[in-house]
Amino acid sequence: MSTTSAKLPKSAVVIGGGFIGISSAIHLCSRGFAVTVLEKARSGVGSKKDGECASYGNAGTFAPYATFGLNDDSPASLLTAGVKAFFGGSLMFGSTKSGDEDVANPLSFSLSASNASEVMKFAMHFLRNSSAENRVKTNEGLSELCKRASSSWKETLRLAGVNDARAFLEEHANRNGYLLLTKSRFDSKEVIEKNEERKRLLGDKNIWNHEGEGELIGPEMCKQLEPNLTDSAVANGGVYFKDAWSLRAPDVFLKKLAEFALKMKGPSGGSVVIKAGSSGEVVDVRGEQQNDEKAEIVTKSGDVYTNAHTIVVCSGWRSKEIAKMCGDGDIPLIAERGYSVEFSDTEQVSPSKLLTRATCFQRGGFIISPLQSRLRAAGLVEFGPDQPPTASNLLSLESSTRKLLRNFSDAPPRNKNSDWLGGRPTFPDYLPA
């Protein structure tokens, strides 16, 4: 067993090397901390298969418009939806006027003999947090986070030493807008009220720079924006966020961010190092449970990181387990599992060119994003601990994507090597952990 001790007066260990982990490391370093990032993926930050990194397979959107939680529907609707989801039935939150059943089921539960009680316990907490009062608290909390979605990135990049943060974003992201295809008609009372409520929640436009301001548009305008969408896809119209950003390749952006972090020289000797694989997989935290001022963090390889003044836990679905090691007790976290599938560009066909902007299909609970050399469909919500991927969810995403895009039903199959499942820690009030 080797022992690694921080030599600087202030040291921090960040457990998890995804977007939140690397961003946390940058901010800590800028405040004079010597930061060690522990990432269990063997290939390091931004990798896919071996670490099941939650930051790899997302839709890549900067989302100031994501102001409503999953618990925003009425408790009765959620209870009905939850019962259907438990038994594998077709599910959609709220009402849908299109009658289109050719979309993925947004919510499911990954149940087994070992996790059924945990999932059901979480479901009951979730329903209790779906009262009108608690839904308001969730939406207000999400809005406070989301409205800084791009401005916070610019600040993080500046701290990391990127001279022109806006130019860096433009190099790695598109500002082509974001199209939300609603489950109810764009001109319905429900959608109009939601759009106005979103503006109210976001508040001061100087913070979110109009990126969360949505314009209600009908089916014809949706088709003008995205001609390759089918009539069924645009039947209800939607909301268009014309100033929204999305990344061309989330994994590439994250790796670049990590490279900048490693080069940082913060005040008082602040620095960042990243340990990956068995050297980055935490198996124990000692000292915190005895209320010691400093803790020891033990990794799978046997390394021991001592004298940690600050521990930041941002390790996806493992956060509950690691937080418990740190003495936080049995906090009510569960894995909110999301899926993505990809269609790669070839010499014969270019799926990435079928859409010009990230497009969300609210009825199905997923987003189709045109990325660098590929088209990604990402989303669905599946509650459950660490379990193998549910094959039907991957198939559902693939078939739904084909049905919602013109001339895509006969395209080559999805790239199964890119099939992805990632989990993020979720509280019953649906605020991010």
Coordinates of all heavy atoms in Angstrom, one line a residue, residues 315-354:
S315 N -20.0 11.6 -8.1 CA -19.7 10.3 -8.8 C -20.9 9.6 -9.2 O -21.0 8.4 -9.1 CB -18.8 9.5 -7.8 OG -19.4 9.4 -6.5
G316 N -21.9 10.4 -9.7 CA -23.0 9.7 -10.3 C -23.8 8.9 -9.3 O -24.0 9.3 -8.2
W317 N -24.3 7.7 -9.8 CA -25.1 6.9 -8.9 C -24.3 6.4 -7.7 O -24.9 5.9 -6.7 CB -25.7 5.7 -9.7 CG -24.7 4.8 -10.3 CD1 -24.2 4.9 -11.6 CD2 -24.0 3.7 -9.7 NE1 -23.3 3.9 -11.8 CE2 -23.2 3.2 -10.7 CE3 -24.1 3.1 -8.5 CZ2 -22.4 2.1 -10.5 CZ3 -23.3 2.0 -8.2 CH2 -22.5 1.5 -9.2
R318 N -23.0 6.4 -7.7 CA -22.2 6.0 -6.6 C -22.1 7.0 -5.5 O -21.6 6.8 -4.4 CB -20.8 5.6 -7.0 CG -20.6 4.4 -7.9 CD -19.2 3.9 -7.9 NE -18.8 3.3 -6.6 CZ -17.6 3.5 -6.1 NH1 -16.7 4.2 -6.7 NH2 -17.3 3.0 -4.9
S319 N -22.7 8.2 -5.7 CA -22.6 9.3 -4.7 C -23.2 8.9 -3.4 O -22.7 9.3 -2.3 CB -23.2 10.5 -5.2 OG -22.5 11.0 -6.4
K320 N -24.3 8.1 -3.4 CA -24.9 7.7 -2.2 C -24.0 6.8 -1.4 O -23.8 7.0 -0.1 CB -26.2 6.9 -2.5 CG -27.0 6.4 -1.2 CD -28.3 5.8 -1.6 CE -29.0 5.3 -0.3 NZ -30.3 4.7 -0.6
E321 N -23.4 5.9 -2.0 CA -22.5 4.9 -1.3 C -21.3 5.7 -0.7 O -20.9 5.5 0.4 CB -22.0 3.9 -2.3 CG -20.9 3.0 -1.9 CD -20.3 2.2 -3.1 OE1 -20.9 2.2 -4.2 OE2 -19.2 1.6 -2.8
I322 N -20.7 6.6 -1.5 CA -19.5 7.3 -1.1 C -19.9 8.3 0.0 O -19.1 8.5 1.0 CB -18.8 8.0 -2.3 CG1 -18.3 6.9 -3.2 CG2 -17.7 8.9 -1.8 CD1 -17.7 7.4 -4.5
A323 N -21.0 9.0 -0.1 CA -21.5 9.9 0.9 C -21.7 9.2 2.2 O -21.4 9.8 3.3 CB -22.8 10.6 0.5
K324 N -22.1 8.0 2.2 CA -22.3 7.2 3.4 C -20.9 6.9 4.0 O -20.8 6.9 5.3 CB -23.0 5.9 3.1 CG -23.6 5.2 4.3 CD -24.5 4.0 3.9 CE -25.1 3.4 5.1 NZ -26.0 2.3 4.8
M325 N -19.9 6.6 3.2 CA -18.6 6.4 3.7 C -18.1 7.7 4.4 O -17.3 7.6 5.4 CB -17.6 6.1 2.6 CG -17.8 4.8 1.8 SD -16.6 4.7 0.5 CE -17.2 3.3 -0.4
C326 N -18.5 8.9 3.9 CA -18.1 10.1 4.5 C -18.9 10.5 5.8 O -18.7 11.6 6.4 CB -18.3 11.3 3.5 SG -17.2 11.1 2.1
G327 N -19.9 9.6 6.2 CA -20.6 9.9 7.4 C -21.9 10.6 7.2 O -22.5 11.1 8.2
D328 N -22.4 10.6 6.0 CA -23.7 11.4 5.7 C -24.9 10.5 5.9 O -26.0 11.0 5.7 CB -23.7 11.9 4.3 CG -22.7 13.1 4.2 OD1 -22.5 13.8 5.2 OD2 -22.3 13.4 3.1
G329 N -24.8 9.3 6.4 CA -25.9 8.4 6.6 C -26.6 7.9 5.3 O -26.0 8.0 4.2
D330 N -27.8 7.4 5.5 CA -28.5 6.8 4.4 C -29.4 7.9 3.7 O -30.6 8.0 3.9 CB -29.4 5.7 4.8 CG -30.0 4.9 3.7 OD1 -29.4 5.0 2.6 OD2 -31.0 4.2 3.9
I331 N -28.7 8.8 2.9 CA -29.5 9.8 2.3 C -30.3 9.3 1.1 O -30.0 8.3 0.5 CB -28.5 10.9 1.7 CG1 -27.5 10.3 0.8 CG2 -27.8 11.6 2.9 CD1 -26.5 11.4 0.2
P332 N -31.5 9.9 0.8 CA -32.5 9.3 -0.1 C -32.1 9.6 -1.6 O -32.8 10.3 -2.3 CB -33.8 10.0 0.3 CG -33.3 11.3 0.8 CD -32.0 11.1 1.5
L333 N -31.0 9.0 -2.0 CA -30.6 9.1 -3.4 C -30.9 7.9 -4.1 O -30.8 6.8 -3.6 CB -29.1 9.4 -3.5 CG -28.6 10.8 -3.2 CD1 -27.0 10.8 -3.4 CD2 -29.2 11.8 -4.1
I334 N -31.2 8.0 -5.4 CA -31.4 6.8 -6.3 C -30.8 7.1 -7.6 O -30.6 8.3 -8.0 CB -32.9 6.4 -6.4 CG1 -33.0 5.0 -6.9 CG2 -33.6 7.4 -7.3 CD1 -34.4 4.5 -6.8
A335 N -30.5 6.1 -8.4 CA -29.9 6.4 -9.7 C -31.0 6.7 -10.7 O -31.9 5.9 -10.9 CB -29.1 5.1 -10.2
E336 N -31.0 7.8 -11.3 CA -31.9 8.2 -12.4 C -31.1 7.8 -13.7 O -30.2 8.5 -14.1 CB -32.2 9.6 -12.4 CG -33.2 10.0 -13.5 CD -33.3 11.5 -13.6 OE1 -33.3 12.2 -12.6 OE2 -33.5 12.0 -14.8
R337 N -31.4 6.7 -14.3 CA -30.6 6.2 -15.4 C -31.1 6.7 -16.7 O -32.3 6.7 -17.0 CB -30.7 4.6 -15.4 CG -30.1 4.0 -14.2 CD -30.8 2.7 -13.8 NE -31.0 1.7 -14.8 CZ -30.3 0.7 -15.0 NH1 -29.2 0.4 -14.2 NH2 -30.6 -0.2 -16.0
G338 N -30.2 7.2 -17.5 CA -30.6 7.7 -18.9 C -29.8 6.9 -19.9 O -28.7 6.3 -19.7
Y339 N -30.4 6.8 -21.1 CA -29.8 6.0 -22.2 C -29.5 6.9 -23.4 O -30.1 8.0 -23.5 CB -30.9 5.0 -22.6 CG -31.1 3.8 -21.7 CD1 -31.9 4.0 -20.5 CD2 -30.5 2.6 -21.8 CE1 -32.1 3.0 -19.6 CE2 -30.7 1.5 -20.9 CZ -31.5 1.8 -19.8 OH -31.8 0.7 -19.0
S340 N -28.6 6.4 -24.2 CA -28.4 7.1 -25.5 C -28.0 6.0 -26.5 O -27.3 5.0 -26.2 CB -27.4 8.2 -25.5 OG -26.1 7.8 -25.3
V341 N -28.4 6.2 -27.8 CA -28.0 5.4 -28.9 C -27.5 6.4 -30.0 O -27.8 7.6 -30.0 CB -29.1 4.6 -29.5 CG1 -29.6 3.6 -28.4 CG2 -30.3 5.4 -30.0
E342 N -26.6 5.9 -30.9 CA -26.0 6.7 -31.9 C -26.1 6.1 -33.3 O -26.0 4.9 -33.4 CB -24.5 7.0 -31.6 CG -24.4 7.9 -30.3 CD -22.9 8.3 -30.1 OE1 -22.0 7.8 -30.8 OE2 -22.7 9.1 -29.1
F343 N -26.2 7.0 -34.3 CA -26.2 6.6 -35.7 C -25.0 7.3 -36.3 O -25.0 8.5 -36.4 CB -27.5 7.0 -36.4 CG -28.7 6.4 -35.7 CD1 -29.3 7.1 -34.7 CD2 -29.2 5.2 -36.1 CE1 -30.4 6.6 -34.0 CE2 -30.4 4.7 -35.5 CZ -31.0 5.4 -34.4
S344 N -24.0 6.5 -36.7 CA -22.7 7.1 -37.2 C -22.8 7.5 -38.7 O -23.5 6.8 -39.5 CB -21.6 6.1 -37.0 OG -21.4 5.8 -35.6
D345 N -22.1 8.6 -39.0 CA -22.0 9.0 -40.4 C -21.2 8.0 -41.2 O -20.2 7.4 -40.7 CB -21.4 10.3 -40.6 CG -22.3 11.5 -40.1 OD1 -23.5 11.2 -39.8 OD2 -21.8 12.6 -40.1
T346 N -21.6 7.7 -42.4 CA -20.8 6.8 -43.3 C -20.6 7.5 -44.7 O -21.1 8.7 -44.9 CB -21.5 5.5 -43.6 OG1 -22.7 5.7 -44.3 CG2 -21.8 4.8 -42.2
E347 N -19.9 6.9 -45.6 CA -19.8 7.5 -46.9 C -21.1 7.6 -47.6 O -21.3 8.5 -48.5 CB -18.8 6.7 -47.8 CG -17.4 6.8 -47.3 CD -16.4 6.0 -48.2 OE1 -16.9 5.4 -49.2 OE2 -15.2 6.0 -47.9
Q348 N -22.1 6.7 -47.3 CA -23.3 6.7 -48.0 C -24.4 7.5 -47.3 O -25.3 8.1 -48.0 CB -23.9 5.2 -48.0 CG -23.1 4.3 -48.9 CD -21.8 3.9 -48.3 OE1 -21.7 3.7 -47.1 NE2 -20.7 3.7 -49.1
V349 N -24.4 7.7 -46.0 CA -25.4 8.4 -45.3 C -24.8 9.2 -44.1 O -23.8 8.8 -43.5 CB -26.5 7.4 -44.8 CG1 -25.9 6.4 -43.8 CG2 -27.7 8.2 -44.2
S350 N -25.4 10.4 -43.9 CA -24.9 11.2 -42.8 C -26.0 11.6 -41.9 O -26.6 12.7 -42.0 CB -24.3 12.5 -43.4 OG -23.2 12.2 -44.2
P351 N -26.3 10.7 -40.9 CA -27.4 11.0 -39.9 C -27.2 12.3 -39.2 O -28.2 13.0 -38.8 CB -27.3 9.8 -39.0 CG -26.7 8.7 -39.8 CD -25.7 9.4 -40.7
S352 N -25.9 12.7 -39.0 CA -25.7 14.0 -38.2 C -26.2 15.2 -39.0 O -26.4 16.3 -38.4 CB -24.2 14.1 -38.0 OG -23.5 14.4 -39.2
K353 N -26.5 15.1 -40.3 CA -27.0 16.2 -41.1 C -28.5 16.3 -41.1 O -29.0 17.2 -41.8 CB -26.4 16.1 -42.5 CG -24.9 16.1 -42.6 CD -24.3 17.4 -42.1 CE -22.8 17.5 -42.4 NZ -22.0 16.4 -41.7
L354 N -29.2 15.3 -40.5 CA -30.6 15.3 -40.6 C -31.3 16.4 -39.8 O -32.4 16.8 -40.1 CB -31.1 13.9 -40.2 CG -30.9 12.7 -41.1 CD1 -31.3 11.4 -40.5 CD2 -31.6 12.9 -42.5

